[in-house]
Amino acid sequence: MSLSDQLKDSARWFDAAQDDGEAARILAEQGLYAAACFHAQQALEKAFKGLLAANGPIPKTHSLEELSTMAPIEGGWEEQEVIKLDRFYLTARYPDALPSGSTARKHFTQKDAEEAIAIARGGMDILSRWAVSLGVPLTIGQRSANPMTHKEPK
């Protein structure tokens, strides 16, 4: 794959991350906190994969902890904050991943969703800046470069 193709592929991953970030925001506004937490995790996972796609193959993992160790970034990174989102990959979607008797609606709160979105937004800001420095074209269509803050005009 040529460098140009890698950068285009990277931009596609960031575009998908942007959609998940927007979904997280909308779901949180609607009180669907577990789904918002999951989509925040997905947004950051896809942004990591977007950054990694600019440099080569994308690993087959959903772990933000693993992805954060592979990302070619330096400084400004709060890895401990980012890996907090790993807990949402399964628990926000599957009832058997929660404590016995608990449901996603009972288990996840507005505070969880707000924290997940804030962590994803911060991580995506850093990843976006690194991607741009590598030549990844992040403004796709009319969207902003920050996948978690975009709102369509009414």
Side-chain angles (χ1 to χ4, degrees):
M1 180 182 291
S2 72
L3 178 59
S4 175
D5 288 340
Q6 283 179 237
L7 296 177
K8 288 176 188 173
D9 193 40
S10 176
R12 289 177 49 224
W13 277 97
F14 275 97
D15 192 45
Q18 190 169 32
D19 289 347
D20 276 308
E22 185 69 4
R25 186 186 62 74
I26 291 167
L27 289 163
E29 287 174 359
Q30 297 300 313
L32 299 169
Y33 304 127
C37 290
F38 170 70
H39 282 281
Q41 185 279 340
Q42 284 291 283
L44 191 52
E45 177 186 331
K46 290 173 185 173
F48 267 120
K49 290 181 176 182
L51 183 61
L52 294 170
N55 291 313
I58 300 166
K60 300 288 185 197
T61 183
H62 301 288
S63 169
L64 295 176
E65 183 173 18
E66 286 180 45
L67 292 168
S68 70
T69 64
M70 298 175 201
I73 56 177
E74 300 168 6
W77 194 248
E78 294 292 334
E79 187 175 323
Q80 293 305 312
E81 286 295 305
V82 169
I83 62 176
K84 285 181 182 179
L85 296 185
D86 273 341
R87 70 185 177 104
F88 299 128
Y89 181 70
L90 293 175
T91 60
R93 297 183 303 151
Y94 299 108
D96 61 350
L98 294 168
S100 181
S102 186
T103 65
R105 286 183 194 239
K106 291 179 186 175
H107 191 76
F108 295 99
T109 65
Q110 181 177 359
K111 182 180 177 187
D112 291 326
E114 288 171 354
E115 180 182 27
I117 290 169
I119 291 169
R121 182 179 294 139
M124 292 173 76
D125 281 345
I126 292 167
L127 295 173
S128 295
R129 285 194 298 274
W130 276 93
V132 167
S133 76
L134 295 173
V136 178
L138 287 189
T139 304
I140 299 171
Q142 297 299 312
R143 296 177 175 188
S144 67
N146 182 339
M148 298 292 286
T149 59
H150 170 72
K151 288 187 181 182
E152 291 291 337
K154 292 185 180 190

